[in-house]
Amino acid sequence: MPATKIFFNTRLKLLFFIACAACGIIALRLVDIQVLRHSAYLEMAERNRTQVLYQTAPRGRVFTSDGVVVASNSPSFSFYYLAAGRKDIPYLQQLAQDFAPKLGMSEEALTEKLTEGLKSGKAVPLAENLSPKTTIALQELQIYYPGVYLVEETKRDYPYGSFASHLIGYLGSMTESEWRKRDTAMNYRLNSKIGKNGIEKKYEAQLKGEDGGAYLEVDYRGRVRRVIEDRRWQPGSDVHLTLNFNVQRAAEDGLKSTSTGRGAAVALDTRTGAVLALASAPAYDPNIFVPYNDTDLSNVSKNISEYNLAVQGTYPPASTFKIITAIAALTDPDFDPSAHVNCPGHYDAGSRIFKCWKHTGHGLMNLLDGLANSCDVYFYDVAARVGASAIEKVQRAFMFGRPTGIDLPGEKAGNMYGPTKRARNKSYWFIGDTLNLSIGQGELLVTPLKLAQFGAALASKGNVYRPYYIDKLVSNRTGKETQVGKTEILNKADYPSSTYDLIWTSMKYTTDTGTARWAKIPGLDVYAKTGTAQNPHGDDHAWFLAFAGKPGEEPSIVVVVFVEYGLHGSSAAGPIAREMLKAYFGVDDLGNPVLQRKSLLNHENYEELLDGPAGE
């Protein structure tokens, strides 16, 4: 066979093998594309043809028990860039130059975001929470630049500003650690806002809702050709609080009006333990964390205090604790509440003289007079007779030294004070400790919420309730209640009804004629006790405890007001408690019914009250 023919056949065979190999590779590639990785390539193709503009779902609203919306949502717009169409750097630089001033950004920062979107191939938000004014300006420019779009969304809005801010909380952007720990089933995005404190954080999963989005078909220039699918968002569940709007507002206005602007006020339903008000001052406006993009916040500090004084601040309960001492005395069969003790203004404990707050003395005092006038000497004498152990036992019955059990993070337990704890610590107990204990001083510490829990137990004649603030959660999808608050009794301070009756009588007498007469309101039965806590670091702190009901009815509300450095419980805290009670019962100073939407403190009346008698 000629060499030329052999060479020709070899080349044909080689070409045949090459062709077969090429066909095999093509076939394998087709199998890979059409069968093995069909879904992945289909998704990539769809992504090249479509872009998604996500729409954040409205968060669930927060309501007070009387139907006022205290956390809602307002319309806002987000500005997106779709990485399609023109992709050259000069185009992006020109886009950044024109849009940056409208967005309040530097050209460098905007170019960086545009480049990020270009590299990722996904729609990226250039700005969020745009105000209507900015939105109009962007709409005019949008016509000349393909690939940029405005998307309507919602932003969190707190219509009453700092109202119950320590309870409701606020939103903020996810941190890196929060992003790593996120619940992937909830479809968070890098720019998602989440609850950072309070109810917003605790009920994040229920409030968030399900985001929607517009799935758009775009051409090679990035222009939208049509909307492929518009997935409607699903709002989160609504939270209904047990708070009474008017009582909470009265508490907050009152605390703001004090000379220090620092303190706490708590109100509970004495029949259930439901929280009617929970105020801590100073408060903050959570709107500063979700502003419109062009809002000027240069003069607004975001260095807020998340410290909730109502559940985390611990202080001596002062003379409000004399009720405990009185109950301990009434458990002694040899104690005579009508017997008189002379108060010359001081008490001789042998090694030390203990003074009464009224240095000139109160004269002859029995239990009724002693509580009404908050006479220290009377309770020194009573404590010396019944002993510290009896007082400690009553503390335990009302669960002093333990958290109230409210479903809030960081609640402080306070400190129960008595000889048993000293014995455990292998330390001595002295007569001076007993005397300090009898008037609520020394190592004894409570939070305003704990004192309110104690007041509710007095009003209910022994029921120590777990305070709760959630009435119900309601799904916006189904309309069904997904969680309902419930009454829970933690303990029963089981003392004779006659004991509670005498305590009530003494506290009513304190309101009518004694140190708590600030809280006297015509047409209501108000039972109160004042307190002034000694403070080695400055001015004394002010306490006021009161529960009330309509004549012939059981008390339905207890209020506790604490004013830091307030000096006197009667004059500093008493007027605030009075306004809270008026707001709850819907009456004026004369006890007449009033129509109210919001309960604002009557400042003229407040100043007039402050000019009255001082003391405990």
Side-chain angles (χ1 to χ4, degrees):
M1 182 180 293
T4 303
K5 188 175 182 180
I6 295 173
F7 177 74
F8 181 74
N9 289 336
T10 302
R11 291 185 66 181
L12 284 176
K13 289 180 181 179
L14 179 61
L15 288 173
F16 176 76
F17 284 129
I18 292 174
C20 288
C23 290
I25 292 173
I26 293 172
L28 289 174
R29 183 60 174 163
L30 287 173
V31 170
D32 177 57
I33 294 174
Q34 297 294 332
V35 180
L36 298 180
R37 290 197 288 170
H38 173 74
S39 298
Y41 284 110
L42 180 63
E43 183 179 344
M44 290 175 61
E46 283 296 312
R47 212 165 40 229
N48 289 332
R49 185 175 70 93
T50 62
Q51 289 284 357
V52 182
L53 300 184
Y54 291 103
Q55 292 178 300
T56 303
R59 289 176 73 84
R61 297 163 296 177
V62 180
F63 293 84
T64 61
S65 62
D66 39 355
V68 180
V69 182
V70 293
S72 58
N73 304 285
S74 296
S76 72
F77 287 84
S78 291
F79 194 50
Y80 280 84
Y81 167 64
L82 277 66
R86 289 188 60 181
K87 301 179 181 180
D88 55 287
I89 298 301
Y91 172 74
L92 296 184
Q93 291 175 339
Q94 184 61 46
L95 193 154
Q97 181 179 346
D98 286 349
F99 281 92
K102 305 294 183 184
L103 298 173
M105 301 172 61
S106 66
E107 291 183 28
E108 293 77 11
L110 186 54
T111 301
E112 184 178 340
K113 282 196 172 188
L114 291 168
T115 306
E116 174 190 333
L118 188 62
K119 291 179 179 177
S120 67
K122 298 178 181 179
V124 293
L126 303 178
E128 301 172 290
N129 291 337
L130 297 174
S131 68
K133 179 181 177 181
T134 301
T135 302
I136 292 173
L138 293 175
Q139 284 175 330
E140 295 174 353
L141 279 174
Q142 182 185 359
I143 300 172
Y144 305 101
Y145 289 93
V148 291
Y149 297 94
L150 284 164
V151 177
E152 184 179 2
E153 296 190 296
T154 63
K155 80 177 188 72
R156 200 53 155 168
D157 179 50
Y158 303 92
Y160 297 97
S162 61
F163 182 91
S165 57
H166 285 92
L167 181 61
I168 296 173
Y170 62 93
L171 300 185
S173 298
M174 297 183 77
T175 63
E176 185 177 342
S177 62
E178 288 169 334
W179 174 257
R180 289 198 300 267
K181 298 175 183 177
R182 75 193 185 282
D183 183 350
T184 54
M186 295 180 66
N187 297 318
Y188 285 108
R189 302 193 304 279
L190 283 172
N191 61 332
S192 293
K193 295 287 191 298
I194 63 171
K196 293 288 188 175
N197 193 18
I199 292 169
E200 293 282 23
K201 180 178 181 180
K202 184 168 184 59
Y203 292 94
E204 168 67 22
Q206 293 84 354
L207 286 166
K208 179 185 180 298
E210 184 178 329
D211 293 347
Y215 290 72
L216 311 175
E217 181 180 0
V218 296
D219 61 20
Y220 74 100
R221 298 182 62 188
R223 297 184 186 276
V224 176
R225 296 180 60 186
R226 65 188 179 95
V227 177
I228 300 174
E229 182 182 3
D230 187 3
R231 293 183 186 175
R232 185 64 180 171
W233 57 42
Q234 295 293 330
S237 295
D238 290 337
V239 175
H240 294 256
L241 304 177
T242 60
L243 291 189
N244 180 294
F245 181 86
N246 296 302
V247 178
Q248 178 75 21
R249 177 54 66 90
E252 294 181 0
D253 287 346
L255 291 172
K256 289 177 187 176
S257 300
T258 62
S259 59
T260 65
R262 299 183 60 85
V266 180
L268 302 178
D269 188 318
T270 60
R271 303 157 299 187
T272 62
V275 177
L276 302 174
L278 189 74
S280 179
Y284 59 87
D285 185 352
N287 285 306
I288 64 175
F289 297 99
V290 283
Y292 279 120
N293 184 270
D294 57 353
T295 301
D296 183 10
L297 295 177
S298 58
N299 296 322
V300 178
S301 173
K302 289 189 178 182
N303 296 321
I304 64 167
S305 173
E306 297 183 27
Y307 186 74
N308 189 341
L309 194 148
V311 298
Q312 295 175 304
T314 57
Y315 304 86
S319 292
T320 60
F321 189 81
K322 290 173 181 175
I323 299 170
I324 293 281
T325 305
I327 294 174
L330 291 169
T331 62
D332 186 342
D334 296 327
F335 174 73
D336 181 3
S338 63
H340 287 87
V341 172
N342 183 48
C343 171
H346 62 273
Y347 181 85
D348 188 351
S351 60
R352 179 182 167 190
I353 300 296
F354 285 76
K355 294 182 178 180
C356 183
W357 71 267
K358 187 176 181 182
H359 296 169
T360 57
H362 287 100
L364 294 176
M365 295 276 110
N366 59 19
L367 180 61
L368 198 67
D369 298 322
L371 272 174
N373 294 282
S374 201
C375 177
D376 293 335
V377 169
Y378 177 82
F379 286 95
Y380 291 151
D381 185 85
V382 167
R385 293 173 187 271
V386 302
S389 294
I391 300 174
E392 182 182 3
K393 186 176 180 180
V394 178
Q395 285 186 75
R396 293 186 187 280
F398 287 102
M399 301 184 71
F400 276 65
R402 297 174 62 180
T404 66
I406 193 171
D407 192 16
L408 285 174
E411 184 191 8
K412 297 291 182 64
N415 184 53
M416 195 183 76
Y417 180 33
T420 301
K421 190 173 182 179
R422 283 284 182 88
R424 287 176 183 162
N425 295 333
K426 297 181 180 180
S427 184
Y428 294 102
W429 182 269
F430 301 98
I431 182 62
D433 295 314
T434 299
L435 302 186
N436 279 329
L437 174 62
S438 70
I439 63 169
Q441 299 290 169
E443 299 170 19
L444 183 66
L445 296 173
V446 299
T447 63
L449 181 61
K450 167 56 72 173
L451 201 59
Q453 183 187 51
F454 167 61
L458 288 175
S460 63
K461 295 190 175 181
N463 293 330
V464 182
Y465 294 107
R466 182 193 301 275
Y468 68 95
Y469 56 88
I470 296 293
D471 180 33
K472 59 187 176 182
L473 267 62
V474 179
S475 170
N476 274 306
R477 303 181 191 182
T478 65
K480 295 181 179 180
E481 297 179 357
T482 58
Q483 181 177 326
V484 179
K486 62 179 181 179
T487 298
E488 183 180 354
I489 298 176
L490 301 176
N491 196 35
K492 179 73 175 179
D494 198 10
Y495 295 103
S497 182
S498 58
T499 296
Y500 285 109
D501 288 341
L502 187 52
I503 294 298
W504 282 25
T505 300
S506 299
M507 294 177 70
K508 182 69 165 59
Y509 188 58
T510 303
T511 304
D512 292 341
T513 66
T515 58
R517 52 189 178 273
W518 307 102
K520 186 176 181 180
I521 302 172
L524 296 178
D525 288 338
V526 182
Y527 311 82
K529 186 69 190 78
T530 58
T532 300
Q534 297 171 12
N535 176 25
H537 307 293
D539 291 335
D540 292 342
H541 306 307
W543 285 103
F544 200 96
L545 181 156
F547 56 87
K550 295 180 179 180
E553 298 179 4
E554 293 296 308
S556 54
I557 180 175
V558 60
V559 299
V560 166
V561 178
F562 173 81
V563 179
E564 202 169 45
Y565 315 117
L567 290 176
H568 302 293
S570 56
S571 57
I576 302 172
R578 176 187 175 88
E579 292 300 319
M580 292 172 70
L581 292 176
K582 285 168 52 183
Y584 177 77
F585 289 102
V587 298
D588 60 17
D589 288 318
L590 300 177
N592 298 317
V594 294
L595 293 175
Q596 55 181 0
R597 175 59 170 172
K598 303 182 214 175
S599 178
L600 301 175
L601 190 66
N602 185 323
H603 295 281
E604 291 182 0
N605 192 40
Y606 181 79
E607 296 297 332
E608 182 180 326
L609 287 169
L610 286 180
D611 292 333
E616 283 282 329

